[in-house]
Amino acid sequence: MMRWLIGKSPIIFIAVKLSLPVALGLVFWRIRNRSRKFVAYSLRLVLIVYAVVMGSHVYWIIN
């Protein structure tokens, strides 16, 4: 999806890449008092996924 977005417009790519974590943060902020366990587990999952993505980027840059 991101390859397609960057092919369409770098501005759209950057907007989507920045808006997704911001939107997730806002959702978690809104439900922070309702379900602390859900938020904690979700943030851990997001952290793992983001680490894998960053690791992939480093691998692609090195190779």
Side-chain angles (χ1 to χ4, degrees):
M1 180 177 113
M2 298 310 266
R3 184 183 310 175
W4 178 79
L5 282 173
I6 204 164
K8 292 292 180 188
S9 168
I11 302 296
I12 294 173
F13 170 78
I14 291 171
V16 170
K17 191 166 182 165
L18 291 176
S19 67
L20 291 176
V22 169
L24 183 64
L26 289 173
V27 168
F28 285 158
W29 182 260
R30 297 282 298 177
I31 65 170
R32 70 187 181 279
N33 294 325
R34 293 185 206 146
S35 177
R36 291 186 183 268
K37 263 188 177 179
F38 173 74
V39 172
Y41 288 132
S42 297
L43 287 174
R44 287 184 188 126
L45 176 63
V46 168
L47 179 62
I48 290 167
V49 169
Y50 200 74
V52 168
V53 168
M54 292 303 293
S56 297
H57 290 167
V58 170
Y59 175 77
W60 291 330
I61 289 170
I62 291 173
N63 290 322

